[in-house]
Amino acid sequence: MRTEAAQRVELVFSLFDVNRNGVVDSGDFDLMTERVLAAAVASDDGAREAIRAALRRYWSTLATELDADGDGVISVDEFRPFVLDPERFGPTVTEFATALSALGDPDGDGLIERPLFVSLMRAIGFEEANIHALFDAFGPDAEDRITVATWAAGIEDFYAPDLAGIPGDQLVAVRAV
């Protein structure tokens, strides 16, 4: 696994540990779901249900694949070696990427405006400066929008263990506030 991917793993674990108790459990995914849905007020019921289902599946996949001791929680040691395994998590990541990027396009025009992108990414727990750097790395158009497809692909790249120098690396960069 590349160094950049290892840094992304650590960040993802910290984001999934929404209640900050040092482990990831189903309650963390419930909290994240509620935060994301609160940021997606303009999205239709179908898009809201899709992200709810994607986050449920994400937790289910983690619990099935990574909970080595069967205690209902994922420790960082259980999480690190396996979470970026495309064989185990590829379809789950694709479902999540599709659902999250669709939330960013409530009007269905195929474009995501920066303010909603920032709101959704903050709801997940990313730092605002890093969110803006990521959006900029995606190459927004003159009206400060990116395509749904660009964001979905960027999410999938973020979970790839062999990629570096990707827009998603902006999320782990330390930025001055």
Side-chain angles (χ1 to χ4, degrees):
M1 178 183 311
R2 297 187 65 105
T3 301
E4 296 87 344
Q7 292 171 329
R8 294 190 305 259
V9 167
E10 297 299 319
L11 177 60
V12 169
F13 185 85
S14 73
L15 297 172
F16 284 170
D17 182 16
V18 178
N19 65 12
R20 304 288 181 241
N21 67 352
V23 296
V24 176
D25 59 39
S26 64
D28 289 310
F29 277 79
D30 293 342
L31 288 170
M32 183 177 289
T33 299
E34 293 311 311
R35 288 180 184 178
V36 169
L37 290 174
V41 294
S43 296
D44 65 30
D45 290 343
R48 294 168 64 80
E49 185 50 42
I51 194 65
R52 186 184 320 264
L55 287 167
R56 269 195 306 263
R57 178 176 179 185
Y58 213 124
W59 166 248
S60 176
T61 302
L62 287 176
T64 300
E65 296 289 332
L66 303 183
D67 188 9
D69 58 10
D71 63 355
V73 300
I74 310 296
S75 70
V76 70
D77 292 331
E78 290 171 317
F79 190 80
R80 273 188 195 117
F82 302 109
V83 75
L84 295 184
D85 182 344
E87 297 288 319
R88 297 166 102 177
F89 290 98
T92 300
V93 169
T94 298
E95 180 182 351
F96 173 70
T98 301
L100 183 59
S101 59
L103 279 180
D105 182 25
D107 62 5
D109 67 355
L111 298 168
I112 300 167
E113 289 80 19
R114 185 183 298 257
L116 183 52
F117 180 87
V118 170
S119 293
L120 290 168
M121 294 293 282
R122 293 246 0 191
I124 292 170
F126 292 104
E127 296 293 326
E128 189 156 344
N130 296 70
I131 297 166
H132 285 286
L134 173 63
F135 195 86
D136 291 339
F138 283 146
D141 67 13
E143 295 179 43
D144 210 25
R145 304 171 304 183
I146 61 170
T147 67
V148 170
T150 296
W151 191 16
I155 294 168
E156 290 193 59
D157 287 352
F158 187 80
Y159 285 91
D162 56 342
L163 294 181
I166 60 171
D169 288 336
Q170 300 299 315
L171 294 172
V172 296
V174 177
R175 303 197 179 284
V177 181

